Amino acid sequence: MSIQKLYIDRQVANSPQVGLIAERLGLAGEIVPDAQTVYDAVSAAADPVRQGKKVLFLTRNKGPFIKECPGTRAYTCCGYEILHIGSFCQMDCTYCILQSYFHPPVLQYFVNHNDLFKELNAIFAGKKIHRIGTGEFTDSLIWELWTDLSTHLIPAFAAQKHAVLELKSKTTAIQNLEQLPHNRKTITSWSVNTPKIIAEEERGTASLTARLKAAAKCESWGYPLAFHFDPIVLYDGCEKDYERTIQKIFSYVSPDNIVWISLGSFRFMPALKPLVEKRFPKSKIVYGEFITGLDGKMRYFKPMRMKIYQKIIACIRAQAPQTFIYFCMEDEEVWHKCLGYTAPERGGLDHLLDEQAIKHCDLKNG
Amino acid sequence: MPTKDIPSAQSKSVPLSRLDTTDDTFRITTRTSVDDLLASLRHDGMLNPPLVIGKASVFTIVSGFRRIAACQKLGREDIPVRVLHPDIGPLKCLRIAIADNTCQRPLNLIETSRALQKLSGCLGTGKRLAESASILGLPSNLSIINKIKDLCLFPQIIQDAILSDAISLSTAVDLKKLPPDCAVAFAQLFGEFKLSLNKQREILTLVKEIARRDSISEQKVMEDRQLQDIIIDQDLDRGQKVRELRAYLRQRRFPQIVKAEAIFENQRKQLNLGNDFKLTPPKDFESTTYTLNMSFSSIAQLKALHTKLDRMIKHPSLKKIIECKDN
């Protein structure tokens, strides 16, 4: 979906970033006194979610740029930290939690990068390992067309030894990454799914082949890689499709260069269901066998989740026995029955992921 | 009565044959019985004459449909009416008709729907409709208006079910999204089984989700042989039919979950716990924590339970339950 309207927060109107983005978009921005003006305009549309993808609001992040991943106690969380560069996304995935996460959802980008780098520098000055990603509240790479964020972020991470940046995407917007000094401190990662799910539920995203070609390119430029099977969606024939997807991944990239692969089955807040039914009446993904999880989210019945995980893990291990696999938000029973161990038995998921980051990205602990 | 303040209304007596009782343009009431009016008309006459409008030989009734029907039933030839000036537009007539009803009694859902539906024909579906509705004592929230105003367009059987409280507004709103035949089938089912709102919602949701998942119509789900067999089973009473119907639909919607529940139940029976223990699985088998309750009133009884508990711990079925071997 292309940006049709650019709103500029009055407070950042003079930021050099704003001029650059407006020029690249070819849009004259409308200066607004506050975010409410934008929210009101988006909310007035018949489909505010769709409308929120057609406008871009340039503003400043008034809160912290680095946040903890909103995991819950009931399930094992990866301890990833979010670099909050902006929110929402232009692509239109049926299952996207961001549709109901923001009220209303608006594509917004924060231009007060002095504050962002101040926070990052504080982290870089410490001794603790940090795994930081930009792909939680938005897609990491959609901003590449209009901003030069990666050209600042990647070299900044490259110049230190305690933190790794993960850019998670469903796009192929990697052009800006080729010439950057990354020092393996940036992991380029892709959300992957079966071609059927990509075609039917991930509107506006790159195909599986295109994503894997982009991953192979990044690998050739020396970047470490990661893949995220999330959300894993159950349907008739999904097991075979996931198996083929895994085989395809390893036909493009080397297992040795993969820092981690995460698995997470489709889960959603109950509020998302009516939204999906309204916006995507042809989609069937909310009609699986869901139960209410311990965190209040709807998730597939546990034996069904474990069955598909076991298949996927067996398939990955057949291709890449050494590649680290973890679950996004699953409990110890799932870990034990599907991976053969629980995260606490090996020091916790945080520790396991830090180890992978140290190994693949040459981080220094302490 | 608001109609008394209409200066242009002219009182006169007209032959009943000149009133068009088939024209429902301004009919709000759903009540058809006139028995409650007969005695009053016989003893006291027409205290509040109906309002009509018309230029030529036939008058359109604006308000007083039941009073006119009662006079017909009494065999009267003439009736006192107040004739509105022919230049009064349809919107004004409609407002008078609605006010004549709302000032006397609270309107039921179908009457409210009729009032809103007719008003929307003149005022559209936006702010003007909401303002007019508010003045006339009707719901003025546009979202509520939109939920209610089409109810009067439903097939009569559904309207009757709404009027008899067999289906709620919320269910009716859901039925609106279905093809008419299917909506009628649901209304008949809910009417026959006198289901609570929660059960109506549950059945509607299950049918809708099965239909969408399997790419078939809701009607097709409802026509399923097994489902129909439950509905027509002479050996089941109403409560049993409802239980079986819900269980069948749930099994069709959540086959794996229902299967796991059945396996658990089977294993629990093998444990032979009787009434001494109550073993409860984690909700939806999501967590790993099972609950075991027991009650006792003496130490001797507790000792007996202890022995039984030991036996239970060693029982292979408990292991199967805990390890979900059969799931």
Side-chain angles (χ1 to χ4, degrees):
Chain A
M1 244 169 269
S2 62
I3 305 292
Q4 292 170 3
K5 174 89 184 168
L6 178 66
Y7 290 103
I8 300 162
D9 186 339
R10 184 183 289 156
Q11 289 185 37
V12 301
N14 296 321
S15 158
Q17 290 269 338
V18 169
L20 177 90
I21 293 168
E23 191 187 320
R24 288 187 184 169
L25 279 169
L27 292 171
E30 179 185 334
I31 294 174
V32 292
D34 52 31
Q36 197 56 48
T37 311
V38 183
Y39 297 158
D40 290 347
V42 169
S43 299
D47 181 353
V49 178
R50 192 173 167 79
Q51 186 61 23
K53 293 172 183 291
K54 294 183 191 167
V55 304
L56 175 60
F57 178 42
L58 301 178
T59 183
R60 59 186 291 269
N61 183 358
K62 298 175 186 73
F65 270 95
I66 296 174
K67 299 176 169 199
E68 284 185 13
C69 183
T72 50
R73 230 185 286 167
Y75 299 101
T76 306
C77 179
C78 60
Y80 167 92
E81 289 167 278
I82 299 160
L83 180 59
H84 193 19
I85 57 167
S87 58
F88 210 35
C89 179
Q90 278 185 295
M91 296 173 280
D92 203 8
C93 298
T94 312
Y95 52 75
C96 180
I97 186 67
L98 301 176
Q99 296 173 94
S100 61
Y101 198 84
F102 302 107
H103 299 283
V106 173
L107 193 63
Q108 61 179 346
Y109 183 71
F110 304 128
V111 297
N112 52 326
H113 286 175
N114 285 344
D115 298 329
L116 183 156
F117 281 100
K118 205 182 285 177
E119 282 186 48
L120 273 182
N121 287 333
I123 280 195
F124 295 157
K127 300 290 181 201
K128 199 175 154 269
I129 298 285
H130 290 267
R131 288 168 283 107
I132 299 172
T134 52
E136 182 75 12
F137 297 138
T138 182
D139 182 282
S140 296
L141 296 180
I142 57 163
W143 309 98
E144 292 297 294
L145 293 173
W146 326 302
T147 76
D148 53 4
L149 180 63
S150 64
T151 62
H152 297 293
L153 269 185
I154 292 174
F157 274 81
Q160 53 76 53
K161 291 177 174 176
H162 300 290
V164 66
L165 171 69
E166 182 171 355
L167 300 176
K168 187 157 65 175
S169 186
K170 287 178 188 149
T171 76
T172 56
I174 54 165
Q175 301 82 345
N176 298 345
L177 274 55
E178 182 175 5
Q179 302 298 337
L180 297 175
H182 56 77
N183 197 21
R184 288 186 69 81
K185 300 298 182 292
T186 294
I187 300 167
T188 50
S189 76
W190 276 266
S191 289
V192 280
N193 225 311
T194 65
K196 176 182 161 72
I197 293 299
I198 291 173
E200 292 177 5
E201 314 290 357
E202 298 184 350
R203 287 157 207 82
T205 66
S207 69
L208 177 64
T209 307
R211 291 181 210 183
L212 296 179
K213 279 183 180 170
K217 265 263 186 288
C218 285
E219 183 176 27
S220 74
W221 298 335
Y223 286 94
L225 304 176
F227 293 98
H228 300 279
F229 284 88
D230 200 345
I232 294 167
V233 180
L234 302 185
Y235 58 88
D236 284 345
C238 69
E239 290 178 4
K240 268 271 164 244
D241 286 356
Y242 279 108
E243 192 181 327
R244 285 192 203 104
T245 303
I246 292 159
Q247 284 163 353
K248 190 161 183 172
I249 289 174
F250 293 108
S251 71
Y252 277 88
V253 302
S254 158
D256 301 339
N257 195 43
I258 298 175
V259 186
W260 46 61
I261 294 177
S262 78
L263 309 180
S265 58
F266 178 37
R267 56 208 177 275
F268 55 97
M269 289 307 294
L272 186 70
K273 188 174 175 181
L275 227 153
V276 170
E277 288 179 315
K278 190 174 175 193
R279 294 197 67 229
F280 308 106
K282 287 184 181 161
S283 174
K284 297 178 179 184
I285 62 167
V286 291
Y287 304 126
E289 286 197 58
F290 295 104
I291 53 97
T292 305
L294 304 175
D295 54 359
K297 285 185 185 170
M298 308 306 292
R299 25 177 87 223
Y300 288 116
F301 184 45
K302 200 183 220 176
M304 299 170 76
R305 302 203 306 269
M306 292 200 289
K307 192 174 168 211
I308 188 72
Y309 289 150
Q310 284 162 349
K311 294 270 181 193
I312 290 176
I313 290 165
C315 196
I316 294 171
R317 283 189 172 158
Q319 306 269 336
Q322 302 304 319
T323 299
F324 183 74
I325 303 168
Y326 72 96
F327 291 115
C328 183
M329 304 309 286
E330 282 295 357
D331 69 6
E332 291 184 8
E333 184 186 19
V334 173
W335 275 76
H336 178 68
K337 288 183 174 170
C338 300
L339 282 168
Y341 67 94
T342 66
E345 283 167 16
R346 298 192 181 178
L349 181 54
D350 260 341
H351 169 72
L352 292 169
L353 290 169
D354 286 352
E355 274 187 344
Q356 294 304 313
I358 290 167
K359 180 178 150 190
H360 288 273
C361 308
D362 304 323
L363 294 190
K364 294 279 177 284
N365 197 0
Chain B
M1 297 300 298
T3 48
K4 285 179 182 166
D5 298 324
I6 302 164
S8 52
Q10 187 190 354
S11 295
K12 62 159 85 168
S13 181
V14 298
L16 267 166
S17 59
R18 286 184 62 197
L19 303 182
D20 183 358
T21 54
T22 62
D23 185 343
D24 287 340
T25 307
F26 300 111
R27 186 192 286 272
I28 301 299
T29 185
T30 53
R31 293 188 293 178
T32 48
S33 162
V34 295
D35 293 346
D36 57 325
L37 297 178
L38 296 178
S40 160
L41 280 170
R42 268 194 211 105
H43 292 102
D44 305 317
M46 184 69 78
L47 301 176
N48 181 21
L51 274 162
V52 298
I53 188 164
K55 283 179 185 169
S57 56
V58 175
F59 292 101
T60 299
I61 304 165
V62 174
S63 73
F65 284 87
R66 288 176 69 238
R67 279 163 273 167
I68 291 164
C71 287
Q72 281 178 321
K73 197 165 184 180
L74 289 171
R76 304 252 169 101
E77 287 186 0
D78 297 314
I79 181 169
V81 293
R82 280 170 303 154
V83 183
L84 292 165
H85 193 279
D87 290 345
I88 288 182
L91 178 59
K92 179 75 179 167
C93 289
L94 184 56
R95 283 185 172 138
I96 291 168
I98 295 168
D100 187 59
N101 283 277
T102 55
C103 291
Q104 291 179 50
R105 65 198 164 82
L107 302 191
N108 64 42
L109 264 178
I110 299 298
E111 290 170 339
T112 307
S113 167
R114 279 184 187 173
L116 291 169
Q117 182 65 231
K118 289 172 195 283
L119 272 179
S120 72
C122 301
L123 298 168
T125 53
K127 202 175 158 194
R128 285 177 67 211
L129 172 63
E131 282 168 1
S132 247
S134 174
I135 292 166
L136 290 164
L138 299 169
S140 56
N141 178 301
L142 275 175
S143 144
I144 305 278
I145 288 175
N146 285 328
K147 279 184 180 171
I148 295 176
K149 85 177 167 49
D150 293 340
L151 298 179
C152 63
L153 305 179
F154 269 155
Q156 193 55 47
I157 188 166
I158 300 181
Q159 292 190 43
D160 291 344
I162 294 169
L163 288 174
S164 66
D165 283 335
I167 59 175
S168 64
L169 171 60
S170 143
T171 303
V173 169
D174 284 339
L175 291 181
K176 249 167 76 173
K177 296 166 195 159
L178 297 172
D181 286 355
C182 190
V184 166
F186 273 112
Q188 281 171 328
L189 185 77
F190 296 157
E192 187 183 334
F193 291 159
K194 302 200 181 342
L195 296 175
S196 67
L197 172 60
N198 281 346
K199 288 190 180 122
Q200 289 180 14
R201 265 202 195 130
E202 178 191 328
I203 287 175
L204 263 173
T205 304
L206 287 169
V207 170
K208 182 191 81 178
E209 294 189 353
I210 292 166
R212 291 204 181 169
R213 182 197 61 194
D214 297 348
S215 301
I216 55 175
S217 67
E218 285 89 349
Q219 183 81 29
K220 189 94 180 152
V221 179
M222 292 294 283
E223 283 168 2
D224 177 84
R225 178 73 188 270
Q226 215 172 322
L227 188 145
Q228 286 301 321
D229 284 349
I230 296 168
I231 292 174
I232 58 171
D233 193 332
Q234 302 284 338
D235 296 332
L236 300 176
D237 65 26
R238 205 171 64 201
Q240 289 169 320
K241 283 185 184 182
V242 172
R243 264 196 304 280
E244 291 215 3
L245 189 65
R246 290 168 64 211
Y248 167 73
L249 287 171
R250 188 166 174 272
Q251 189 278 330
R252 210 170 146 188
R253 173 68 182 86
F254 301 104
Q256 297 295 326
I257 297 174
V258 171
K259 186 179 163 201
E261 287 167 350
I263 289 170
F264 170 81
E265 203 45 54
N266 185 38
Q267 298 296 347
R268 179 160 62 181
K269 275 185 191 149
Q270 305 283 322
L271 288 173
N272 225 347
L273 298 176
N275 295 325
D276 299 324
F277 292 102
K278 190 181 172 205
L279 178 64
T280 312
K283 187 172 181 298
D284 297 321
F285 302 96
E286 179 63 14
S287 91
T288 48
T289 307
Y290 287 77
T291 309
L292 183 69
N293 289 317
M294 61 179 182
S295 41
F296 57 90
S297 51
S298 67
I299 291 176
Q301 201 183 357
L302 181 59
K303 276 182 181 168
L305 288 177
H306 183 234
T307 311
K308 202 168 177 182
L309 185 62
D310 269 346
R311 270 206 307 274
M312 187 179 97
I313 289 168
K314 288 171 192 152
H315 199 292
S317 284
L318 186 67
K319 200 174 177 194
K320 281 185 182 169
I321 286 173
I322 303 298
E323 294 181 0
C324 297
K325 279 193 184 295
D326 291 325
N327 283 348

